[in-house]
Coordinates of all heavy atoms in Angstrom, one line a residue:
M1349 N 0.9 -1.2 0.0 CA 0.0 0.0 0.0 C 0.9 1.2 0.0 O 1.8 1.3 0.8 CB -0.9 0.0 1.3 CG -1.9 1.0 1.3 SD -3.0 0.7 2.7 CE -3.9 2.3 2.8
P1350 N 0.6 2.2 -0.9 CA 1.4 3.4 -0.9 C 1.4 4.1 0.4 O 0.4 4.0 1.2 CB 0.8 4.2 -2.0 CG -0.1 3.3 -2.8 CD -0.5 2.2 -1.8
H1351 N 2.4 5.0 0.6 CA 2.5 5.8 1.8 C 1.2 6.7 1.8 O 0.8 7.3 0.7 CB 3.7 6.7 1.7 CG 4.0 7.4 3.0 ND1 3.3 8.5 3.3 CD2 4.9 7.2 3.9 CE1 3.8 8.9 4.5 NE2 4.7 8.1 4.9
P1352 N 0.6 6.9 2.9 CA -0.6 7.7 3.0 C -0.4 9.2 2.5 O -1.3 9.8 2.0 CB -1.0 7.7 4.5 CG 0.0 6.9 5.2 CD 0.9 6.3 4.2
M1353 N 0.8 9.7 2.6 CA 1.1 11.0 2.1 C 0.8 11.1 0.6 O 0.4 12.1 0.1 CB 2.5 11.4 2.4 CG 2.9 12.8 2.0 SD 2.3 14.1 3.0 CE 3.6 14.2 4.2
I1354 N 1.1 10.0 -0.1 CA 0.9 10.0 -1.5 C -0.6 9.8 -1.9 O -1.1 10.5 -2.8 CB 1.7 8.8 -2.1 CG1 3.2 9.1 -1.9 CG2 1.4 8.7 -3.6 CD1 4.1 8.0 -2.3
V1355 N -1.3 9.0 -1.1 CA -2.7 8.8 -1.4 C -3.6 10.0 -1.0 O -4.4 10.4 -1.8 CB -3.2 7.5 -0.6 CG1 -4.7 7.4 -0.8 CG2 -2.5 6.3 -1.1
A1356 N -3.3 10.5 0.2 CA -4.1 11.6 0.6 C -3.2 12.6 1.3 O -3.1 12.6 2.5 CB -5.2 11.2 1.6
P1357 N -2.6 13.5 0.5 CA -1.6 14.4 1.2 C -2.2 15.2 2.3 O -3.3 15.8 2.1 CB -1.2 15.3 0.0 CG -1.5 14.5 -1.2 CD -2.7 13.7 -0.9
D1358 N -1.6 15.2 3.4 CA -2.0 16.0 4.6 C -1.7 17.5 4.3 O -0.5 17.8 4.0 CB -1.3 15.5 5.8 CG -1.5 16.4 7.0 OD1 -2.4 17.2 7.0 OD2 -0.7 16.2 8.0
T1359 N -2.7 18.4 4.3 CA -2.4 19.7 4.0 C -2.5 20.7 5.2 O -2.4 21.9 5.0 CB -3.4 20.2 2.9 OG1 -4.7 19.9 3.3 CG2 -3.0 19.6 1.5
D1360 N -2.6 20.1 6.4 CA -2.7 21.0 7.6 C -1.4 21.8 7.7 O -1.5 22.9 8.3 CB -2.8 20.1 8.9 CG -4.2 19.5 8.9 OD1 -5.1 19.9 8.1 OD2 -4.4 18.7 9.8
W1361 N -0.3 21.3 7.2 CA 1.0 22.1 7.4 C 0.9 23.4 6.7 O 1.6 24.3 7.1 CB 2.1 21.2 6.8 CG 1.9 20.8 5.3 CD1 1.3 19.6 4.9 CD2 2.1 21.5 4.1 NE1 1.2 19.6 3.6 CE2 1.7 20.7 3.1 CE3 2.7 22.8 3.9 CZ2 1.9 21.2 1.7 CZ3 2.8 23.2 2.6 CH2 2.4 22.4 1.5
R1362 N 0.0 23.6 5.7 CA -0.1 24.9 5.0 C -0.4 26.0 6.0 O 0.1 27.1 5.7 CB -1.2 24.8 4.0 CG -0.9 24.0 2.8 CD -2.1 23.9 1.9 NE -1.9 23.0 0.8 CZ -1.5 23.4 -0.5 NH1 -1.4 24.7 -0.7 NH2 -1.3 22.5 -1.4
E1363 N -1.1 25.7 7.0 CA -1.4 26.8 8.0 C -0.2 27.3 8.7 O -0.2 28.4 9.3 CB -2.4 26.3 9.0 CG -3.8 26.1 8.4 CD -4.7 25.2 9.2 OE1 -4.5 25.2 10.5 OE2 -5.6 24.6 8.7
R1364 N 0.9 26.5 8.7 CA 2.1 26.9 9.4 C 3.2 27.4 8.4 O 4.4 27.5 8.7 CB 2.6 25.8 10.2 CG 1.7 25.5 11.4 CD 2.1 24.3 12.3 NE 1.8 23.1 11.6 CZ 2.5 22.0 11.4 NH1 3.8 22.1 11.9 NH2 2.1 21.0 10.8
A1365 N 2.8 27.6 7.1 CA 3.8 27.9 6.1 C 4.4 29.3 6.3 O 3.6 30.3 6.5 CB 3.1 27.8 4.7
A1366 N 5.7 29.4 6.2 CA 6.3 30.8 6.3 C 6.0 31.7 5.1 O 6.1 32.9 5.2 CB 7.8 30.6 6.4
C1367 N 5.5 31.1 4.0 CA 5.2 31.9 2.8 C 3.8 32.5 2.9 O 3.5 33.3 2.0 CB 5.4 31.1 1.6 SG 4.5 29.5 1.6
L1368 N 3.0 32.2 3.9 CA 1.7 32.7 3.9 C 1.6 34.2 3.7 O 0.7 34.7 2.9 CB 1.0 32.3 5.2 CG 0.4 30.9 5.2 CD1 -0.3 30.7 6.6 CD2 -0.6 30.7 4.1
P1369 N 2.4 35.0 4.3 CA 2.3 36.5 4.1 C 2.8 37.0 2.8 O 2.7 38.2 2.5 CB 3.1 37.1 5.3 CG 3.6 36.0 6.1 CD 3.4 34.7 5.3
Y1370 N 3.5 36.2 2.0 CA 4.1 36.6 0.8 C 3.2 36.3 -0.4 O 2.5 35.4 -0.4 CB 5.4 35.9 0.6 CG 6.5 36.2 1.6 CD1 6.5 35.6 2.9 CD2 7.4 37.2 1.4 CE1 7.4 35.9 3.8 CE2 8.4 37.6 2.4 CZ 8.4 36.9 3.6 OH 9.3 37.2 4.5
P1371 N 3.4 37.2 -1.5 CA 2.6 36.9 -2.7 C 3.1 35.7 -3.4 O 4.3 35.4 -3.4 CB 2.8 38.2 -3.5 CG 4.1 38.7 -3.0 CD 4.2 38.4 -1.6
S1372 N 2.2 34.9 -4.0 CA 2.5 33.7 -4.7 C 3.5 34.0 -5.8 O 4.2 33.1 -6.2 CB 1.3 32.9 -5.1 OG 0.6 33.7 -6.0
V1373 N 3.5 35.2 -6.4 CA 4.3 35.5 -7.5 C 5.8 35.3 -7.1 O 6.6 35.0 -8.0 CB 4.0 36.9 -8.1 CG1 4.4 38.0 -7.1 CG2 4.6 37.1 -9.4
L1374 N 6.1 35.5 -5.9 CA 7.5 35.3 -5.4 C 7.9 33.9 -5.6 O 9.1 33.6 -5.9 CB 7.6 35.7 -3.9 CG 9.0 35.5 -3.3 CD1 10.1 36.3 -4.0 CD2 8.9 35.8 -1.8
F1375 N 7.0 33.0 -5.5 CA 7.4 31.5 -5.6 C 7.1 31.0 -7.0 O 7.7 30.0 -7.3 CB 6.6 30.8 -4.5 CG 7.0 31.1 -3.1 CD1 6.5 32.3 -2.5 CD2 7.9 30.4 -2.4 CE1 6.9 32.6 -1.2 CE2 8.3 30.7 -1.2 CZ 7.8 31.9 -0.6
F1376 N 6.2 31.6 -7.7 CA 5.9 31.0 -9.0 C 6.2 31.9 -10.2 O 6.2 31.5 -11.4 CB 4.4 30.7 -9.1 CG 4.0 29.6 -8.2 CD1 3.6 29.9 -6.9 CD2 4.1 28.3 -8.6 CE1 3.2 28.9 -6.0 CE2 3.7 27.3 -7.7 CZ 3.3 27.5 -6.4
G1377 N 6.6 33.2 -10.0 CA 6.8 34.1 -11.1 C 5.5 34.5 -11.8 O 4.5 34.1 -11.3
V1378 N 5.7 35.3 -12.8 CA 4.5 35.7 -13.5 C 4.1 34.8 -14.7 O 3.1 34.2 -14.8 CB 4.6 37.2 -14.0 CG1 3.4 37.6 -14.8 CG2 4.9 38.1 -12.8
D1379 N 5.1 34.7 -15.6 CA 4.9 33.8 -16.7 C 6.3 33.4 -17.3 O 7.3 33.7 -16.7 CB 4.0 34.4 -17.8 CG 4.6 35.7 -18.2 OD1 5.8 35.9 -18.3 OD2 3.7 36.6 -18.5
D1380 N 6.3 32.7 -18.4 CA 7.5 32.2 -19.0 C 8.4 33.3 -19.6 O 9.5 33.1 -20.0 CB 7.2 31.2 -20.2 CG 6.6 29.9 -19.6 OD1 6.8 29.7 -18.4 OD2 6.1 29.2 -20.4
S1381 N 7.9 34.6 -19.6 CA 8.7 35.7 -20.2 C 9.7 36.2 -19.2 O 10.5 37.1 -19.5 CB 7.8 36.8 -20.7 OG 7.1 37.4 -19.6
E1382 N 9.7 35.7 -18.0 CA 10.6 36.2 -16.9 C 12.1 36.0 -17.3 O 12.4 34.8 -17.6 CB 10.3 35.5 -15.6 CG 11.1 36.0 -14.4 CD 10.7 35.3 -13.1 OE1 10.3 34.1 -13.2 OE2 10.8 35.9 -12.1
P1383 N 12.9 37.0 -17.4 CA 14.3 36.9 -17.8 C 15.0 36.0 -16.8 O 14.7 36.0 -15.6 CB 14.8 38.3 -17.7 CG 13.6 39.2 -17.9 CD 12.5 38.4 -17.2
P1384 N 15.9 35.1 -17.3 CA 16.6 34.1 -16.4 C 17.2 34.7 -15.2 O 17.1 34.2 -14.1 CB 17.6 33.5 -17.4 CG 17.1 33.7 -18.7 CD 16.3 35.0 -18.7
A1385 N 17.9 35.9 -15.4 CA 18.6 36.5 -14.2 C 17.6 36.9 -13.1 O 17.8 36.7 -11.9 CB 19.4 37.7 -14.6
E1386 N 16.4 37.5 -13.6 CA 15.4 37.9 -12.7 C 14.8 36.6 -12.0 O 14.5 36.7 -10.8 CB 14.3 38.7 -13.4 CG 14.7 40.1 -13.7 CD 13.6 40.9 -14.3 OE1 12.4 40.5 -14.2 OE2 14.0 41.8 -15.1
K1387 N 14.6 35.6 -12.8 CA 14.0 34.4 -12.2 C 14.9 33.8 -11.1 O 14.5 33.4 -10.0 CB 13.8 33.3 -13.3 CG 13.2 32.0 -12.8 CD 12.9 31.1 -14.0 CE 12.2 29.8 -13.4 NZ 12.1 28.8 -14.4
R1388 N 16.2 33.8 -11.4 CA 17.2 33.2 -10.4 C 17.1 34.1 -9.1 O 17.1 33.5 -8.0 CB 18.6 33.2 -11.0 CG 18.9 32.0 -11.8 CD 20.4 31.8 -12.0 NE 21.0 32.9 -12.8 CZ 20.9 33.0 -14.1 NH1 20.4 32.0 -14.8 NH2 21.5 34.0 -14.7
A1389 N 17.1 35.4 -9.3 CA 17.1 36.3 -8.1 C 15.8 36.1 -7.3 O 15.8 36.0 -6.1 CB 17.2 37.7 -8.6
R1390 N 14.7 36.0 -8.1 CA 13.4 35.8 -7.4 C 13.4 34.4 -6.6 O 12.9 34.3 -5.5 CB 12.2 35.8 -8.4 CG 10.9 35.5 -7.8 CD 9.8 35.4 -8.8 NE 10.0 34.5 -9.9 CZ 9.9 33.2 -9.8 NH1 9.6 32.6 -8.6 NH2 10.2 32.4 -10.8
E1391 N 13.9 33.4 -7.3 CA 13.9 32.1 -6.7 C 14.8 32.1 -5.4 O 14.5 31.4 -4.4 CB 14.4 31.0 -7.7 CG 13.4 30.7 -8.7 CD 13.8 29.7 -9.8 OE1 15.0 29.5 -9.9 OE2 12.9 29.2 -10.5
E1392 N 15.9 32.8 -5.5 CA 16.8 32.9 -4.3 C 16.0 33.6 -3.1 O 16.1 33.2 -2.0 CB 18.1 33.6 -4.6 CG 19.0 32.8 -5.4 CD 19.3 31.4 -4.8 OE1 19.5 31.3 -3.6 OE2 19.2 30.4 -5.6
R1393 N 15.3 34.6 -3.5 CA 14.5 35.3 -2.4 C 13.4 34.4 -1.8 O 13.2 34.3 -0.6 CB 13.8 36.6 -3.0 CG 14.7 37.7 -3.2 CD 13.9 39.1 -3.3 NE 12.9 39.0 -4.4 CZ 13.1 39.3 -5.7 NH1 14.3 39.5 -6.1 NH2 12.1 39.2 -6.5
A1394 N 12.8 33.6 -2.7 CA 11.8 32.6 -2.2 C 12.4 31.6 -1.3 O 11.9 31.2 -0.3 CB 11.1 32.0 -3.4
K1395 N 13.6 31.1 -1.7 CA 14.3 30.1 -1.0 C 14.7 30.6 0.4 O 14.7 29.8 1.4 CB 15.5 29.6 -1.7 CG 15.2 28.7 -2.9 CD 16.5 28.3 -3.6 CE 16.2 27.5 -4.9 NZ 17.5 27.1 -5.5
R1396 N 15.0 31.9 0.5 CA 15.3 32.4 1.8 C 14.1 32.4 2.8 O 14.3 32.2 4.0 CB 15.9 33.8 1.7 CG 17.3 33.9 1.2 CD 18.0 35.2 1.5 NE 17.5 36.3 0.7 CZ 17.9 36.6 -0.6 NH1 18.9 35.9 -1.1 NH2 17.4 37.6 -1.2
V1397 N 12.9 32.5 2.2 CA 11.7 32.4 3.0 C 11.6 30.9 3.4 O 11.4 30.6 4.6 CB 10.5 32.8 2.3 CG1 9.2 32.6 3.1 CG2 10.6 34.3 1.9
C1398 N 11.8 30.0 2.5 CA 11.7 28.6 2.8 C 12.7 28.2 3.9 O 12.4 27.3 4.7 CB 11.9 27.8 1.5 SG 10.7 28.0 0.2
A1399 N 13.8 28.8 3.9 CA 14.9 28.4 4.8 C 14.4 28.7 6.3 O 14.9 28.1 7.2 CB 16.2 29.2 4.5
T1400 N 13.4 29.6 6.4 CA 12.9 29.9 7.8 C 11.7 29.1 8.1 O 11.1 29.3 9.2 CB 12.5 31.4 7.9 OG1 11.4 31.6 7.1 CG2 13.7 32.3 7.4
C1401 N 11.2 28.2 7.2 CA 9.9 27.6 7.3 C 10.0 26.3 8.1 O 10.9 25.4 7.9 CB 9.4 27.3 5.9 SG 7.7 26.6 5.9
G1402 N 9.1 26.1 9.1 CA 9.1 24.9 9.9 C 8.4 23.7 9.3 O 8.4 22.6 9.9
V1403 N 7.8 23.9 8.1 CA 7.1 22.8 7.5 C 7.7 22.5 6.1 O 7.0 22.0 5.2 CB 5.6 23.0 7.4 CG1 4.9 22.9 8.8 CG2 5.2 24.3 6.7
R1404 N 9.0 22.8 6.0 CA 9.6 22.6 4.7 C 9.6 21.2 4.1 O 9.3 21.0 3.0 CB 11.1 23.1 4.9 CG 11.9 23.2 3.6 CD 13.2 23.9 3.9 NE 14.0 23.7 2.7 CZ 15.2 24.3 2.6 NH1 15.7 25.0 3.6 NH2 15.9 24.2 1.6
Q1405 N 9.8 20.2 5.0 CA 9.8 18.8 4.5 C 8.4 18.4 4.1 O 8.2 17.8 3.1 CB 10.4 17.9 5.6 CG 10.7 16.5 5.1 CD 11.8 16.5 4.1 OE1 12.7 17.3 4.2 NE2 11.7 15.6 3.1
E1406 N 7.4 18.8 4.9 CA 6.0 18.5 4.5 C 5.7 19.1 3.1 O 5.0 18.5 2.3 CB 5.0 19.0 5.5 CG 5.1 18.3 6.9 CD 6.1 18.9 7.9 OE1 7.0 19.5 7.4 OE2 5.9 18.6 9.1
C1407 N 6.1 20.3 2.9 CA 5.9 21.0 1.7 C 6.5 20.3 0.5 O 5.9 20.1 -0.5 CB 6.4 22.5 1.8 SG 6.3 23.4 0.3
L1408 N 7.8 20.0 0.7 CA 8.5 19.3 -0.3 C 7.9 17.9 -0.7 O 7.7 17.6 -1.8 CB 10.0 19.1 0.2 CG 10.9 18.3 -0.8 CD1 11.1 19.1 -2.1 CD2 12.3 18.1 -0.1
E1409 N 7.5 17.2 0.4 CA 6.9 15.9 0.1 C 5.5 16.0 -0.6 O 5.2 15.2 -1.5 CB 6.7 15.1 1.4 CG 7.9 14.7 2.2 CD 8.8 13.8 1.3 OE1 8.3 13.1 0.4 OE2 10.0 13.8 1.6
Y1410 N 4.8 17.1 -0.3 CA 3.5 17.3 -0.9 C 3.8 17.6 -2.4 O 3.1 17.1 -3.3 CB 2.8 18.5 -0.3 CG 1.5 18.9 -1.0 CD1 0.4 18.2 -0.7 CD2 1.5 19.9 -2.0 CE1 -0.8 18.5 -1.3 CE2 0.3 20.2 -2.6 CZ -0.8 19.5 -2.3 OH -2.0 19.8 -3.0
A1411 N 4.8 18.5 -2.7 CA 5.1 18.8 -4.1 C 5.5 17.6 -4.9 O 5.1 17.4 -6.1 CB 6.1 19.9 -4.1
I1412 N 6.3 16.7 -4.3 CA 6.7 15.5 -4.9 C 5.5 14.6 -5.2 O 5.3 14.0 -6.3 CB 7.8 14.8 -4.1 CG1 9.1 15.7 -4.2 CG2 8.1 13.4 -4.6 CD1 10.2 15.2 -3.3
A1413 N 4.7 14.4 -4.1 CA 3.6 13.5 -4.2 C 2.6 13.9 -5.3 O 1.9 13.1 -6.0 CB 2.9 13.3 -2.9
T1414 N 2.4 15.2 -5.4 CA 1.4 15.7 -6.4 C 2.0 16.1 -7.7 O 1.4 16.7 -8.6 CB 0.7 17.0 -5.8 OG1 1.6 18.0 -5.4 CG2 -0.1 16.6 -4.5
K1415 N 3.3 15.8 -7.8 CA 4.0 16.1 -9.1 C 3.9 17.6 -9.6 O 3.6 17.9 -10.7 CB 3.6 15.2 -10.2 CG 3.9 13.7 -9.9 CD 3.5 12.8 -11.1 CE 3.9 11.4 -10.9 NZ 3.5 10.7 -9.7
E1416 N 4.1 18.5 -8.6 CA 4.0 19.9 -8.9 C 5.1 20.3 -10.0 O 6.3 20.0 -9.8 CB 4.3 20.7 -7.6 CG 3.1 20.8 -6.8 CD 2.0 21.7 -7.3 OE1 2.2 22.5 -8.2 OE2 0.8 21.6 -6.9
Q1417 N 4.6 20.9 -11.0 CA 5.5 21.2 -12.1 C 6.2 22.6 -12.0 O 7.2 22.8 -12.6 CB 4.7 21.3 -13.4 CG 4.1 19.9 -13.8 CD 5.1 19.0 -14.4 OE1 5.9 19.4 -15.2 NE2 5.0 17.7 -14.0
Y1418 N 5.6 23.5 -11.2 CA 6.1 24.8 -11.2 C 6.3 25.3 -9.8 O 5.7 24.8 -8.8 CB 5.1 25.8 -11.9 CG 4.8 25.4 -13.3 CD1 3.6 24.7 -13.6 CD2 5.7 25.6 -14.3 CE1 3.3 24.3 -14.9 CE2 5.4 25.2 -15.6 CZ 4.2 24.6 -15.9 OH 3.9 24.2 -17.1
G1419 N 7.2 26.3 -9.7 CA 7.3 27.0 -8.4 C 8.3 26.4 -7.5 O 8.8 25.3 -7.6
I1420 N 8.6 27.2 -6.4 CA 9.5 26.8 -5.3 C 8.6 26.1 -4.3 O 7.6 26.7 -3.8 CB 10.2 28.0 -4.7 CG1 11.0 28.8 -5.8 CG2 11.0 27.6 -3.5 CD1 12.2 28.1 -6.2
W1421 N 8.9 24.9 -4.0 CA 8.2 24.2 -2.9 C 9.3 23.5 -2.0 O 10.3 23.0 -2.6 CB 7.4 23.0 -3.5 CG 6.2 23.5 -4.2 CD1 6.2 24.0 -5.5 CD2 4.8 23.4 -3.8 NE1 4.9 24.3 -5.9 CE2 4.0 23.9 -4.9 CE3 4.2 23.0 -2.7 CZ2 2.7 24.0 -4.8 CZ3 2.8 23.1 -2.6 CH2 2.1 23.6 -3.6
G1422 N 9.2 23.6 -0.7 CA 10.2 23.0 0.1 C 11.6 23.6 -0.1 O 12.6 22.9 0.1
G1423 N 11.7 24.8 -0.6 CA 13.0 25.4 -0.8 C 13.7 24.9 -2.1 O 14.9 25.2 -2.3
M1424 N 12.9 24.2 -3.0 CA 13.5 23.7 -4.2 C 12.7 24.1 -5.5 O 11.5 24.1 -5.4 CB 13.6 22.2 -4.2 CG 14.5 21.6 -3.1 SD 14.7 19.9 -3.3 CE 15.5 19.5 -1.8
T1425 N 13.4 24.3 -6.6 CA 12.8 24.5 -7.9 C 12.4 23.1 -8.4 O 12.7 22.1 -7.8 CB 13.8 25.1 -8.9 OG1 14.9 24.1 -9.1 CG2 14.4 26.4 -8.4
E1426 N 11.6 23.1 -9.5 CA 11.2 21.9 -10.1 C 12.4 21.0 -10.4 O 12.4 19.8 -10.1 CB 10.3 22.1 -11.3 CG 10.1 21.0 -12.2 CD 9.2 19.9 -11.6 OE1 8.8 20.0 -10.5 OE2 9.1 18.8 -12.3
L1427 N 13.4 21.6 -11.0 CA 14.6 20.8 -11.4 C 15.3 20.2 -10.2 O 15.8 19.1 -10.2 CB 15.6 21.6 -12.2 CG 15.2 21.9 -13.6 CD1 16.2 22.9 -14.3 CD2 15.0 20.7 -14.4
E1428 N 15.4 21.0 -9.1 CA 16.0 20.6 -7.9 C 15.2 19.5 -7.2 O 15.8 18.5 -6.7 CB 16.2 21.8 -6.9 CG 17.3 22.7 -7.4 CD 17.3 24.0 -6.6 OE1 16.2 24.4 -6.0 OE2 18.3 24.8 -6.7
R1429 N 13.9 19.5 -7.3 CA 13.0 18.5 -6.8 C 13.3 17.2 -7.5 O 13.3 16.1 -6.9 CB 11.6 18.9 -6.8 CG 11.2 19.9 -5.8 CD 9.7 20.1 -5.6 NE 9.0 20.4 -6.8 CZ 8.8 21.7 -7.2 NH1 9.4 22.7 -6.5 NH2 8.1 22.0 -8.3
K1430 N 13.4 17.3 -8.9 CA 13.7 16.1 -9.6 C 15.0 15.4 -9.3 O 15.1 14.2 -9.1 CB 13.6 16.4 -11.1 CG 12.2 16.6 -11.7 CD 12.3 16.8 -13.2 CE 10.8 16.9 -13.7 NZ 10.7 17.5 -15.0
A1431 N 16.0 16.3 -9.1 CA 17.3 15.8 -8.7 C 17.3 15.1 -7.4 O 17.9 14.1 -7.1 CB 18.4 16.9 -8.8
Y1432 N 16.6 15.8 -6.4 CA 16.4 15.3 -5.1 C 15.8 13.9 -5.1 O 16.2 13.0 -4.4 CB 15.6 16.3 -4.3 CG 15.2 15.8 -2.9 CD1 16.0 15.9 -1.8 CD2 13.9 15.3 -2.7 CE1 15.6 15.5 -0.6 CE2 13.4 14.9 -1.5 CZ 14.3 15.0 -0.4 OH 13.9 14.5 0.8
L1433 N 14.7 13.8 -5.9 CA 14.0 12.5 -6.0 C 14.9 11.4 -6.6 O 14.9 10.3 -6.1 CB 12.8 12.7 -6.9 CG 11.6 11.8 -6.7 CD1 11.2 11.6 -5.2 CD2 10.4 12.2 -7.5
R1434 N 15.7 11.8 -7.6 CA 16.6 10.8 -8.2 C 17.6 10.3 -7.2 O 17.9 9.1 -7.1 CB 17.3 11.4 -9.4 CG 16.5 11.3 -10.7 CD 17.4 11.6 -11.9 NE 18.1 12.8 -11.9 CZ 17.6 14.0 -12.3 NH1 16.4 14.0 -12.9 NH2 18.3 15.1 -12.2
A1435 N 18.2 11.3 -6.5 CA 19.2 10.9 -5.5 C 18.6 10.1 -4.4 O 19.2 9.1 -4.0 CB 19.8 12.2 -4.9
R1436 N 17.4 10.4 -4.0 CA 16.7 9.6 -2.9 C 16.4 8.2 -3.4 O 16.6 7.2 -2.7 CB 15.4 10.3 -2.5 CG 14.9 9.8 -1.3 CD 13.9 10.7 -0.6 NE 12.6 10.7 -1.3 CZ 11.5 11.4 -0.9 NH1 11.6 12.1 0.2 NH2 10.4 11.3 -1.5
S1437 N 16.0 8.1 -4.7 CA 15.7 6.8 -5.2 C 16.9 5.9 -5.4 O 16.9 4.7 -5.1 CB 15.0 6.9 -6.6 OG 13.9 7.6 -6.5
A1438 N 18.1 6.6 -5.7 CA 19.3 5.9 -5.9 C 19.8 5.3 -4.6 O 20.5 4.3 -4.5 CB 20.4 6.8 -6.5
R1439 N 19.5 6.0 -3.5 CA 19.9 5.5 -2.1 C 19.2 4.3 -1.6 O 19.6 3.6 -0.7 CB 19.8 6.6 -1.1 CG 20.9 7.7 -1.2 CD 20.9 8.6 0.1 NE 19.7 9.2 0.3 CZ 19.3 10.5 -0.1 NH1 20.2 11.1 -0.9 NH2 18.2 11.0 0.2
R1440 N 18.0 4.0 -2.2 CA 17.2 2.9 -1.7 C 17.6 1.6 -2.3 O 18.2 1.5 -3.4 CB 15.7 3.2 -2.1 CG 15.2 4.3 -1.1 CD 13.7 4.5 -1.3 NE 13.3 5.5 -0.4 CZ 12.2 6.3 -0.6 NH1 11.5 6.2 -1.7 NH2 11.9 7.2 0.3
Ligands
SF4_318 S1 8.9 25.4 2.4 FE1 8.7 27.4 1.3 S2 7.0 27.1 -0.2 FE2 6.9 25.5 1.3 S3 5.4 26.2 2.9 FE3 7.5 26.7 3.6 S4 7.9 28.8 2.9 FE4 6.1 28.0 1.7

């Protein structure tokens, strides 16, 4: 049986998210026209918020379980989440 987090992700952690007071655009950007340098700077600002977050692991697991394609979740970009998942799978 799959892990319950995958079947029915627990979302209570959202109430304790450090990003609640911040606009979602900080974590997701506006659209694909965002210049790469601005995107990197924005993502670094978002990650600094995540670094203070007490539910970072829950957020990351949720993003992985729901295959989130966009945005910073758990302090990671989509590419970083994929790399994290690959590394974790390789350890098992
Ligand atoms: S880890 Fe980052 S994106 Fe996730 S809840 Fe915390 S502050 Fe928000």
Side-chain angles (χ1 to χ4, degrees):
M1349 188 171 167
H1351 190 286
M1353 180 75 89
I1354 293 170
V1355 175
D1358 170 16
T1359 53
D1360 288 351
W1361 54 267
R1362 286 174 186 261
E1363 292 163 22
R1364 290 176 284 134
C1367 53
L1368 276 181
Y1370 292 86
S1372 62
V1373 69
L1374 176 61
F1375 294 81
F1376 292 93
V1378 178
D1379 56 33
D1380 290 344
S1381 68
E1382 185 176 29
E1386 282 181 26
K1387 182 176 183 186
R1388 277 196 297 277
R1390 176 183 56 73
E1391 287 178 340
E1392 287 309 313
R1393 285 199 305 276
K1395 287 179 183 182
R1396 284 199 289 275
V1397 177
C1398 296
T1400 70
C1401 185
V1403 290
R1404 191 171 167 175
Q1405 193 62 36
E1406 289 89 338
C1407 175
L1408 179 61
E1409 294 299 337
Y1410 177 84
I1412 289 170
T1414 57
K1415 298 183 169 56
E1416 280 289 341
Q1417 297 283 317
Y1418 304 103
I1420 302 289
W1421 291 75
M1424 293 188 195
T1425 64
E1426 167 64 5
L1427 286 178
E1428 289 167 342
R1429 289 195 297 277
K1430 282 184 178 163
Y1432 171 82
L1433 203 50
R1434 274 197 302 275
R1436 192 162 77 175
S1437 301
R1439 284 198 299 270
R1440 284 183 180 155

